[in-house]
Amino acid sequence: MPKTPRLKGREIIAALRKAGFEILRVKGSHHFLRHPDGRSTVVPVHAGEVIGTGLFLKILRDAEMSVEDFESFR
């Protein structure tokens, strides 16, 4: 299994948008994204903060993507 990347919220959102996700709404720092096939996830965006490994893996689980799939959209 490859190492999980250390990314900021904006970088994760950019990759998910390339994968077909759209931002539905923003509430505070939380961006709610949904894919046309029904998958959805929430990504927090805090200026300069890196998303932790556990939260990053939770976002990928919600998006039903593997680390390899995610990396292909970066």
Side-chain angles (χ1 to χ4, degrees), residues 1-9 12 44 49-62 65-67 70:
M1 183 169 157
K3 287 182 70 173
T4 56
R6 305 283 294 165
L7 301 170
K8 296 178 182 171
I12 293 173
E49 282 193 29
V50 174
I51 300 293
T53 304
L55 180 55
F56 176 70
L57 293 175
K58 172 68 171 127
I59 291 168
L60 290 185
R61 241 186 341 267
D62 289 345
M65 297 174 76
S66 67
V67 176
F70 181 82

Side-chain angles (χ1 to χ4, degrees), residues 14-61:
L16 289 174
R17 292 190 72 191
K18 287 181 186 175
F21 284 80
E22 296 176 3
I23 296 175
L24 287 181
R25 64 190 178 104
V26 178
K27 185 172 184 179
S29 63
H30 292 81
H31 292 64
F32 294 78
L33 294 97
R34 179 165 295 149
H35 195 273
D37 67 9
R39 297 177 286 165
S40 63
T41 189
V42 179
V43 180
V45 178
H46 298 118
E49 282 193 29
V50 174
I51 300 293
T53 304
L55 180 55
F56 176 70
L57 293 175
K58 172 68 171 127
I59 291 168
L60 290 185
R61 241 186 341 267

